[in-house]
Amino acid sequence: MNYSFSDKVLGLQPSAIREILKFASEPNVISFSAGNPAPEAFPKDKIAEISKEIFEKEPTLALQYSITEGYTPLRDRLKDILKDINCFVPNYDELIITSGAQQGNELACKVLCNEGDTLICEAPTFIGSLNAFKSYNVNLVGIEVQDDGIDTEKLEKALQDNPNTKLLYVIPNFQNPTGVTMSLEKRKEVYRLAQKYDIFILEDNPYGRLRIKGEDIPPIKSFDVDHRVIYTGSFSKILSPGLRVGYVSGLKEVISKMIVCKQVADVHTNILAQLICDRFIEQTNMEEHFQKLREIYKKKCNLMLSEMKKNFSSKIKYIEPEGGLFVWCTLPSDCDMNAFCKKAIQEYKVALVPGNAFMVHDDDFTTSFRMNFSTPTDEQIVKGCEKLGRLSKELFGE
Amino acid sequence: MNYSFSDKVLGLQPSAIREILKFASEPNVISFSAGNPAPEAFPKDKIAEISKEIFEKEPTLALQYSITEGYTPLRDRLKDILKDINCFVPNYDELIITSGAQQGNELACKVLCNEGDTLICEAPTFIGSLNAFKSYNVNLVGIEVQDDGIDTEKLEKALQDNPNTKLLYVIPNFQNPTGVTMSLEKRKEVYRLAQKYDIFILEDNPYGRLRIKGEDIPPIKSFDVDHRVIYTGSFSKILSPGLRVGYVSGLKEVISKMIVCKQVADVHTNILAQLICDRFIEQTNMEEHFQKLREIYKKKCNLMLSEMKKNFSSKIKYIEPEGGLFVWCTLPSDCDMNAFCKKAIQEYKVALVPGNAFMVHDDDFTTSFRMNFSTPTDEQIVKGCEKLGRLSKELFGE
């Protein structure tokens, strides 16, 4: 038969990461390419216990259809948590449970952007969100990320050049892939620009609780006097990504529209998973739990950084992250990053993600690549960095 | 701030059913308005046992990120099941797990339809799919459902009138809301028309296993020689809707595009739920399980039909379904259906769904309403039909 795809999905390709992950799952490959939480960070026994309890006490609740907005007690807990950090204003804001923060980010784009409208994001940025936005055929404009966050001068220029901008997407904490944390000054400036050009901000904060050094910086949402920030969060990095539970909070009217779109997307998020998240918060000292996670990630991050320092060619520069899961490495512009990543997987059996995977357009030039420290074991971190060290010196010298 | 929603979601409203369900959840209200499976049909103990086993043996698998396509062993099982009924052709077709069949139906529309393209469906039809299609701003054309399925003459006329038709959406078994089963002849004619006008068919089969009388009729997919049928199925009505596990099968190339769109929608379907479905099929005699379900629904359906016969005004006509969850009732055109439904909930505390909720356009005229027999208890069925009987005779006479 003759057929064609819709314009909006025509150019969509399986992400480059997926292709790399195919190699990465081969035996003998050390994968620094994933974005998975450390398996030892899952409170497995506690979740098993909670799950058993749910099936004993409330099996029908866990198995029957539920409401699109999400399980009310869980929503109330999350509202309270956000209220405490000035990120939720009752009467103005609303919060719903989503199937991962991914769904919240996708729905924000769906309800606010027509095809051709401009959506501005950091460049590089999270590939899952990039593809979500692309799947609605928006005009994506990427703004360079500096060491303290998005380049706000270039951001203002882009806002001037694109009066049809509807949404600015940012990951202020330990951004994926750069690991960069946006400074308080820049958060304020970003908000000021959103006010000046009257656009929404989509603030994605999956890693906020995984700070391993430095002080917490208030979310942009916390100074959102006119309810233009849509804030997404997730249980993926603090409990379990397999459960697919996230949330989105923002102006009631916008969330209402997102509810209708969520209803047609998946009716509601798996209710057993929502109950597990709810009971976990209820039965756990969350501060102690976060402390445990931070210790796991701090140890892994520091190990990777010290092994990189010990082994890598001095040509490879990198930003030491204050949290999250990633280290972003950059080569001088005369070095061939793609050749490095290719040789790393093919000859040295170490999987990295080439930086262009995170760029707005596939052909945007970059000499950066992303390394993940949360998924590999300590032994793999040591061995993988040693191999990459050898390769980097072979290609770029000491 | 000033803002507007995207054109595609601008007109989307929370479904009328949602509003009715608000009343329906009040105490003392007998709800015939839901579409929930009977809670006694959930194999609660078996699911609890399976879940315990998963957390004992494979906790990391159940909690970590998984692949977008879905859990491979479950996909393989479903492919085998579909192969056995000539609904899956290896090398040509592909099958993925979705977050309910709802997601499969939404993604089919997203990948194939531009805004303004025509999508033809039965009228009335399932409200969740209707809203999914509306959320992509397609030109929806509804074709009347007769006692043996969609009116194929009107369908051909619509195909001639709308050369930009991309997709035909049908629920051939025990259609929601009418309960109508499409005859074999009509299935073949529908397929012939899809070939003639070179369009895709989206065949939604959530209730296929819930036949309570008559013989199974082959799915349209089973005579799909040129791979133009996209087939969606679900665990919602045969295991548990709260798990949100469905699947979609069809031409490899189309499914590939749906995978990318699913990835940006929710990364993957809750993996614990997928494992539960997989182990349930593995450890259960499925034919015996379906037989149990059919007995539950047969009993409930027959009870409702006999109580309707005993109590209702003869003005109310209805189709006796061969399966599914619903009885579709129709009043003569001089009767006020909306007044009946309104009085039913407000004065008699019985919730029904007015038929216009299922029409392509809110203002399409209908004197039908939908009754559900799977959710209420036997006692509620008897009491609710008695009340509706009194009301119907009060309004329309014997």
Side-chain angles (χ1 to χ4, degrees), chain A residues 1-10 12-15 18 35-37 39 42 44 47-48 51-52 55 59-60 62-65 68-69 99 102-103 106 110-115 128 131-132 135-136 198-200 226-228 236-237 240-244 251 253-254 257 259-261 263-273 276, chain B residues 1-10 12-15 18 35-37 39 42 44 47-48 51-52 55 59-60 62-65 68-69 99 102-103 106 110-115 128 131-132 135-136 198-200 226-228 236-237 240-244 251 253-254 257 259-261 263-273 276:
Chain A
M1 66 180 294
N2 287 311
Y3 66 93
S4 58
F5 293 115
S6 68
D7 297 338
K8 55 189 171 295
V9 306
L10 205 56
L12 271 190
Q13 295 298 334
S15 84
R18 286 172 62 88
N36 294 2
F42 299 148
K44 300 185 188 76
I47 295 177
S51 165
K52 185 165 171 273
F55 281 120
T60 303
L63 297 173
Q64 189 56 280
Y65 275 118
T68 303
E69 291 86 336
S99 301
Q102 178 75 39
Q103 187 176 50
E106 192 220 9
K110 181 170 181 178
V111 305
L112 293 173
C113 298
N114 281 320
E115 295 190 32
N131 277 337
S135 83
Y136 289 103
D198 206 19
I199 59 164
F200 281 100
D226 38 34
H227 310 281
R228 63 177 69 247
S236 291
K237 308 305 184 296
S240 147
L243 294 178
R244 310 304 310 123
L251 186 67
E253 289 76 7
V254 174
K257 205 54 109 174
I259 293 170
V260 190
C261 286
Q263 189 171 40
V264 306
D266 61 5
V267 187
H268 64 80
T269 294
N270 178 295
I271 178 68
L272 172 59
I276 289 173
Chain B
M1 69 181 291
N2 286 311
Y3 67 92
S4 58
F5 294 115
S6 69
D7 297 340
K8 55 189 170 296
V9 307
L10 205 56
L12 272 190
Q13 295 298 333
S15 83
R18 285 172 60 87
N36 294 2
F42 299 146
K44 299 184 188 79
I47 295 177
S51 165
K52 184 163 173 276
F55 280 119
T60 303
L63 296 174
Q64 189 55 283
Y65 275 119
T68 304
E69 291 86 338
S99 301
Q102 177 75 39
Q103 187 176 50
E106 192 220 8
K110 181 170 181 178
V111 305
L112 293 173
C113 298
N114 282 321
E115 296 189 31
N131 277 337
S135 83
Y136 289 102
D198 206 17
I199 59 163
F200 282 100
D226 37 33
H227 310 281
R228 63 177 69 249
S236 291
K237 308 303 185 296
S240 147
L243 294 178
R244 310 303 311 125
L251 186 66
E253 289 77 7
V254 174
K257 207 51 109 175
I259 293 170
V260 190
C261 287
Q263 190 170 41
V264 306
D266 61 4
V267 188
H268 63 80
T269 295
N270 177 296
I271 178 68
L272 173 58
I276 290 173

Side-chain angles (χ1 to χ4, degrees), chain A residues 119-238:
Chain A
L119 190 155
I120 302 179
C121 61
E122 292 156 325
T125 192
F126 172 48
I127 190 165
S129 297
L130 268 184
N131 277 337
F133 305 149
K134 285 181 184 173
S135 83
Y136 289 103
N137 217 2
V138 297
N139 173 40
L140 266 182
V141 175
I143 306 293
E144 198 183 317
V145 180
Q146 299 167 311
D147 286 0
D148 60 348
I150 194 167
D151 183 330
T152 47
E153 282 177 27
K154 288 190 179 150
L155 172 59
E156 177 147 28
K157 177 80 171 51
L159 286 164
Q160 285 164 348
D161 290 349
N162 296 279
N164 66 343
T165 301
K166 295 291 165 64
L167 200 54
L168 167 67
Y169 173 70
V170 286
I171 311 171
N173 291 319
F174 333 124
Q175 200 240 16
N176 179 359
T178 61
V180 160
T181 296
M182 197 188 291
S183 66
L184 181 62
E185 295 65 38
K186 283 215 166 160
R187 291 178 195 217
K188 288 187 172 163
E189 176 63 4
V190 161
Y191 191 72
R192 191 189 68 82
L193 291 173
Q195 287 185 306
K196 184 172 172 189
Y197 295 90
D198 206 19
I199 59 164
F200 281 100
I201 295 173
L202 178 56
E203 181 175 25
D204 189 8
N205 191 18
Y207 315 109
R209 292 293 189 166
L210 303 183
R211 176 174 282 279
I212 56 178
K213 61 179 174 187
E215 293 294 316
D216 279 341
I217 300 173
I220 302 175
K221 180 76 185 159
S222 69
F223 29 87
D224 182 18
V225 288
D226 38 34
H227 310 281
R228 63 177 69 247
V229 181
I230 300 164
Y231 180 92
T232 58
S234 172
F235 283 86
S236 291
K237 308 305 184 296
I238 59 166

Side-chain angles (χ1 to χ4, degrees), chain B residues 198-218:
Chain B
D198 206 17
I199 59 163
F200 282 100
I201 295 172
L202 179 55
E203 180 174 26
D204 189 8
N205 191 18
Y207 315 109
R209 292 292 187 166
L210 303 184
R211 176 174 281 280
I212 56 178
K213 60 181 176 186
E215 292 296 314
D216 278 341
I217 300 172

Side-chain angles (χ1 to χ4, degrees), chain B residues 67-83 87-98 221 230-235 245-256 258-259 262 274:
Chain B
I67 56 171
T68 304
E69 291 86 338
Y71 182 60
T72 308
L74 176 60
R75 293 169 65 207
D76 289 343
R77 278 184 216 288
L78 293 168
K79 287 177 188 176
D80 285 344
I81 291 169
L82 290 185
K83 249 186 281 178
C87 285
F88 187 86
V89 184
N91 299 325
Y92 290 95
D93 289 336
E94 187 50 282
L95 178 148
I96 60 168
I97 305 298
T98 52
K221 181 75 186 159
I230 300 165
Y231 180 90
T232 57
S234 173
F235 284 86
V245 181
Y247 51 93
V248 57
S249 167
L251 186 66
K252 257 180 202 298
E253 289 77 7
V254 174
I255 301 293
S256 284
M258 290 174 79
I259 293 170
K262 173 167 172 62
Q274 294 187 63

Side-chain angles (χ1 to χ4, degrees), chain A residues 33-76:
Chain A
S33 57
N36 294 2
E40 62 267 34
F42 299 148
K44 300 185 188 76
D45 295 341
K46 184 68 197 166
I47 295 177
E49 184 194 316
I50 288 172
S51 165
K52 185 165 171 273
E53 197 182 281
I54 291 167
F55 281 120
E56 274 165 15
K57 294 186 185 164
E58 305 166 288
T60 303
L61 177 63
L63 297 173
Q64 189 56 280
Y65 275 118
S66 191
I67 57 171
T68 303
E69 291 86 336
Y71 182 59
T72 308
L74 177 60
R75 294 169 65 208
D76 289 342

Side-chain angles (χ1 to χ4, degrees), chain B residues 281-326:
Chain B
I281 299 179
E282 183 186 43
Q283 299 174 18
T284 308
N285 180 325
M286 290 302 282
E287 273 316 312
E288 277 177 20
H289 172 68
F290 294 139
Q291 190 51 38
K292 261 186 247 170
L293 297 185
R294 285 192 287 261
E295 278 161 24
I296 291 171
Y297 289 113
K298 185 173 188 168
K299 193 165 157 283
K300 281 182 171 289
C301 180
N302 286 343
L303 178 64
M304 182 170 268
L305 290 171
S306 71
E307 292 301 312
M308 287 167 68
K309 201 169 173 186
K310 197 195 298 181
N311 292 287
F312 278 21
S313 157
S314 61
K315 288 283 177 69
I316 302 179
K317 305 290 178 200
Y318 46 88
I319 303 164
E320 296 198 4
E322 295 184 352
L325 310 178
F326 306 109

Side-chain angles (χ1 to χ4, degrees), chain A residues 220-337:
Chain A
I220 302 175
K221 180 76 185 159
S222 69
F223 29 87
D224 182 18
V225 288
D226 38 34
H227 310 281
R228 63 177 69 247
V229 181
I230 300 164
Y231 180 92
T232 58
S234 172
F235 283 86
S236 291
K237 308 305 184 296
I238 59 166
L239 189 60
S240 147
L243 294 178
R244 310 304 310 123
V245 180
Y247 51 94
V248 58
S249 166
L251 186 67
K252 258 181 202 295
E253 289 76 7
V254 174
I255 301 294
S256 284
K257 205 54 109 174
M258 290 173 80
I259 293 170
V260 190
C261 286
K262 173 167 174 61
Q263 189 171 40
V264 306
D266 61 5
V267 187
H268 64 80
T269 294
N270 178 295
I271 178 68
L272 172 59
Q274 295 187 63
L275 291 171
I276 289 173
C277 293
D278 181 67
R279 305 304 189 255
F280 186 80
I281 299 180
E282 183 185 41
Q283 299 174 18
T284 308
N285 180 324
M286 291 302 283
E287 274 315 312
E288 277 176 22
H289 173 67
F290 294 139
Q291 190 50 37
K292 261 186 248 171
L293 297 184
R294 285 192 287 260
E295 277 160 25
I296 292 171
Y297 289 112
K298 186 173 188 170
K299 193 164 157 284
K300 281 181 171 287
C301 180
N302 286 343
L303 178 64
M304 182 169 269
L305 289 171
S306 70
E307 292 301 311
M308 287 168 68
K309 201 169 172 186
K310 198 192 299 177
N311 293 286
F312 278 23
S313 157
S314 62
K315 287 282 178 70
I316 303 180
K317 305 291 179 200
Y318 46 88
I319 303 165
E320 296 198 2
E322 296 185 350
L325 310 178
F326 307 109
V327 183
W328 184 245
C329 302
T330 303
L331 292 164
S333 58
D334 61 336
C335 293
D336 188 341
M337 178 273 297

